[in-house]
Amino acid sequence: MKVIWNDQIVDRSEVKIDMEDRGYQFADGIYDVVRAYNGHFFTLDEHVDRFFSGMSKIDLEAPFTKDELKSRLKELIEINKIETGNVYFQITRGIASPRDHIFPDPTDVPPVFTASTTVVPRNQVKMTKGITASIVPDTRWLHCDIKSVSLLGNILAKHTAHKKGFDEAVLHRDGIVTECSSSNMWMVKDGTVYTHPDGNLILPGITKIVLLKAAEKAGIPVKEETFTLEDLKQADEAFSSSTTVEAMPIIEIDGVAVGQGKRGPVVEKLQQHFVAEIEAQCGSLTVTN
Ligand SMILES: Cc1ncc(COP(=O)(O)O)c(C=O)c1O
């Protein structure tokens, strides 16, 4: 398998990550995940924009333009013959020795960029059946809008849910639902869809952008407003969203059914519109997916 390592496409085995890479020592870096269907990227511009915005939020200067990055990523999925799968890409502030909290001078220390691909088919069974979740306190930092490689808060939350046998962790701060450990969170009440507004407490999801447009097209009212754990208990439907899971029904939270305990009509409609958007950008999903 080929990967990108700085400005080259090389065999996975050739990559050497230094023990003093600031990504390794400080989690001083930004990442993103973009999906391809039928060998075409979906919402690549939005993912690359968010990646650049993340770099600027941590004062990390990009070693390439957005267009250069996009053509490199396209080259990678072509070489690896990725039809339906994900590209993970990340940048760190580079290799600086001795270890020091102070940023190194970027003219002396170039960033380290890597990207790799995985084949990930759409999980239509799960998208129809839905998943379970558990409520977990959101103990992450206050820059959740930055797609930082430091995911300790997220993975601890996911682990807490997994240990109890649930698929995802629904996070809350003082009873306000923020998002999930690796996805945005949504609920439906009386036909209106609710999701946490963007800001420093959640990641501005790209799937969220697509779903907001899908809801508008479908005539489904949406409020980007906070909702509480109590509201969630009374919800007719709940679902999460991310690049890899698209719109995923959450049918049970901590062993209690959400609404009818199965995929509801609102998320199903949004899923249909989501597929239409994928097909508009990447071609028909019926043959290979
Ligand atoms: C914490 C968190 N929130 C939301 C999302 C959804 O973002 P996107 O739709 O861009 O994949 C992710 C995706 O990884 C995430 O990790």
Side-chain angles (χ1 to χ4, degrees), residues 57-270:
K57 283 176 184 176
I58 68 162
D59 213 3
L60 199 165
E61 208 176 308
F64 35 57
T65 64
K66 287 183 183 178
D67 283 342
E68 282 165 350
L69 174 58
K70 283 181 222 172
S71 46
R72 252 300 136 92
L73 295 175
K74 282 180 189 160
E75 219 180 308
L76 185 68
I77 62 164
E78 270 172 38
I79 289 177
N80 285 341
K81 299 190 171 44
I82 300 297
E83 287 291 316
T84 296
N86 299 341
V87 178
Y88 174 90
F89 54 106
Q90 75 163 50
I91 191 159
T92 75
R93 208 180 302 277
I95 305 155
S97 180
R99 179 182 177 277
D100 189 343
H101 284 59
I102 296 169
F103 290 0
D105 183 339
T107 49
D108 301 332
V109 177
V112 172
F113 179 80
T114 48
S116 57
T117 59
T118 37
V119 172
V120 184
R122 297 182 70 235
N123 195 334
Q124 285 186 5
V125 174
K126 239 182 185 176
M127 283 189 242
T128 307
K129 273 186 68 188
I131 59 166
T132 63
S134 182
I135 304 291
V136 179
D138 191 343
T139 58
R140 300 172 303 161
W141 67 337
L142 294 173
H143 295 290
C144 297
D145 53 315
I146 300 176
K147 208 161 167 59
S148 151
V149 295
S150 171
L151 288 176
L152 202 50
N154 303 59
I155 64 170
L156 285 172
K158 185 87 127 201
H159 180 61
T160 303
H162 260 226
K163 268 194 310 194
K164 292 193 266 176
F166 301 111
D167 300 312
E168 181 52 300
V170 174
L171 306 177
H172 75 97
R173 289 187 197 258
D174 298 324
I176 305 272
V177 176
T178 49
E179 57 179 340
C180 297
S181 72
S182 58
S183 50
N184 288 116
M185 180 64 189
W186 309 68
M187 65 159 236
V188 182
K189 184 68 188 171
D190 298 331
T192 298
V193 178
Y194 295 83
T195 192
H196 197 289
D198 284 349
N200 68 316
L201 298 181
I202 67 161
L203 184 79
I206 305 304
T207 318
K208 182 180 167 184
I209 300 173
V210 179
L211 287 172
L212 290 173
K213 283 191 196 138
E216 201 182 323
K217 269 196 190 155
I220 299 168
V222 180
K223 289 189 176 164
E224 280 189 85
E225 277 177 12
T226 55
F227 58 89
T228 65
L229 290 175
E230 280 310 307
D231 296 330
L232 186 55
K233 272 190 195 157
Q234 309 298 323
D236 302 321
E237 298 179 39
F239 58 98
S240 65
S241 70
S242 80
T243 296
T244 30
V245 305
E246 301 175 11
M248 179 61 75
I250 296 178
I251 54 163
E252 206 184 280
I253 298 179
D254 287 316
V256 179
V258 179
Q260 303 297 308
K262 57 180 188 176
R263 176 173 71 170
V266 174
V267 69
E268 189 176 351
K269 179 126 262 182
L270 289 172

